[in-house]
Amino acid sequence: MKLLVTGGAGYIGSVVALQLVEADHEVIVLDNLSKGHEAAVPEGVKLVRADLLDAGRLTEILADGYDGVLHFAALSLVGESVEQPGRYYRANLTGTLNLLEAMQSAEVPRLVFSSTAAVYGEPEETPIPEMAPTCPTSPYGGSKLAADHLIGFFARAHGLRATSLRYFNVAGASSSLGEDHEPETHLIPLVLGAALGERENVKIFGTDYPTPDGTPVRDYIHVEDLSRAHLLALDAADEANSGEHHVYNLGNGAGFSVREVIEEARRVTGCPIEAVEAPRRAGDPPTLVASSARIQDELGWVPEKPSLEAMISDAWDWMQRHPRGYEES
Ligand code: UFG
């Protein structure tokens, strides 16, 4: 298939682009490179530098004819979104609307969308199923939920076959592709940065949560396992009826606390890694663990690297090979 991957120069989009190339698809990456890295675009993949807010340009690009779009391009920092809700809704909702309209005029039939566990807010039920109430606590989660709804309406109105994948905490690396954010806010790369000596210590944001050791519990999923789910969703679009919009949660169904992550990173790296207790970070729910039963049942998705050890050691290998991220590659 000929596929457009928006945000394909980013952490998750680049891994998916690589897996799509390996599965013999023709891949074109669309990225504005505001967060992504040119060096993360897999070899043999054309990079089109464009912004989703440029609707005219998007229409021209899509008019080339595509069999499907995998849509990753977005802003994704929860804290930043609280400060700048307008910017988040514009990038994540208006950007998606522009993309959907360009797809509609070019009659592109398939869409796989990068959604998030942040749509659930502070869930009452754990592990979280897809039918749990959606009650986002941040503009980031709100903008992604609004985009999910919009995709559902477009699917119904225009016969699109669409899937939203709601990711929990993505970690690990895949061969030459890894996590390189600026600024970095995610726990695992920050912990490993402390192991590398890039920073003195790692802060534990809150130790008084209602969890077994008082620190927040998250469901970590390996980026390669997550990526494979996109390929399954794309294949399943052929069996779906036009107009169908499917929603799947993606995690391992197992939670690890911040302290457990740090302890595992000490084991994997052999470094002491100093941890310093700090106040809670605004907007962090105590526990987020996915039920991925639906995607396992319906698409046959099975995680191959569910252990925290595999995720941390793959991320550690990548960081050691790329101590300055993509700058050095
Ligand atoms: N944490 C620390 N110290 C740090 C960084 C993080 O204690 O230096 C804690 C956080 O407070 C949180 C946990 O580690 O409890 C995980 O934090 P991350 O920033 O790694 O990930 P989040 O759970 O906040 O967010 C991730 C994605 C979001 C997505 C969300 C959905 O980054 O895009 O999962 O649950 F919305």
Side-chain angles (χ1 to χ4, degrees), residues 119-199:
V119 301
Y120 296 112
E122 300 208 5
E124 284 159 20
E125 192 184 340
T126 293
I128 307 170
E130 289 81 358
M131 56 282 228
T134 44
C135 204
T137 49
S138 71
Y140 167 63
S143 66
K144 285 282 185 171
L145 180 61
D148 269 353
H149 287 153
L150 186 64
I151 289 167
F153 290 127
F154 260 72
R156 249 166 284 157
H158 305 299
L160 183 67
R161 296 156 202 252
T163 305
S164 291
L165 299 177
R166 292 181 175 163
Y167 316 156
F168 284 60
N169 290 59
V170 189
S174 179
S175 59
S176 61
L177 304 173
E179 195 167 3
D180 179 9
H181 295 118
E182 181 51 46
E184 187 53 78
T185 60
H186 295 106
L187 179 64
I188 291 179
L190 287 173
V191 171
L192 295 178
L196 270 183
E198 279 171 7
R199 55 184 59 79

Side-chain angles (χ1 to χ4, degrees), residues 57-239:
R57 180 92 199 284
L58 265 188
T59 307
E60 275 169 34
I61 293 166
L62 269 296
D64 272 354
Y66 285 89
D67 300 301
V69 173
L70 295 102
H71 177 31
F72 299 90
L75 296 176
S76 64
L77 299 179
V78 173
E80 185 180 72
S81 79
V82 176
E83 312 285 324
Q84 304 173 19
R87 185 169 160 240
Y88 268 70
Y89 271 81
R90 193 170 302 110
N92 296 352
L93 181 60
T94 309
T96 302
L97 173 60
N98 289 344
L99 179 65
L100 287 165
E101 289 188 324
M103 288 175 67
Q104 184 201 335
S105 59
E107 296 181 10
V108 181
R110 303 173 186 83
L111 173 70
V112 181
F113 176 59
S114 163
S115 185
T116 170
V119 301
Y120 296 112
E122 300 208 5
E124 284 159 20
E125 192 184 340
T126 293
I128 307 170
E130 289 81 358
M131 56 282 228
T134 44
C135 204
T137 49
S138 71
Y140 167 63
S143 66
K144 285 282 185 171
L145 180 61
D148 269 353
H149 287 153
L150 186 64
I151 289 167
F153 290 127
F154 260 72
R156 249 166 284 157
H158 305 299
L160 183 67
R161 296 156 202 252
T163 305
S164 291
L165 299 177
R166 292 181 175 163
Y167 316 156
F168 284 60
N169 290 59
V170 189
S174 179
S175 59
S176 61
L177 304 173
E179 195 167 3
D180 179 9
H181 295 118
E182 181 51 46
E184 187 53 78
T185 60
H186 295 106
L187 179 64
I188 291 179
L190 287 173
V191 171
L192 295 178
L196 270 183
E198 279 171 7
R199 55 184 59 79
E200 255 174 54
N201 55 47
V202 62
K203 298 204 168 38
I204 301 178
F205 294 142
T207 53
D208 58 350
Y209 283 94
T211 58
D213 68 15
T215 65
V217 169
R218 293 289 181 273
D219 185 340
Y220 295 88
I221 175 171
H222 197 290
V223 67
E224 288 178 346
D225 284 334
L226 177 78
S227 175
R228 281 188 305 101
H230 293 73
L231 276 76
L232 292 174
L234 193 66
D235 288 345
D238 287 334
E239 274 117 62

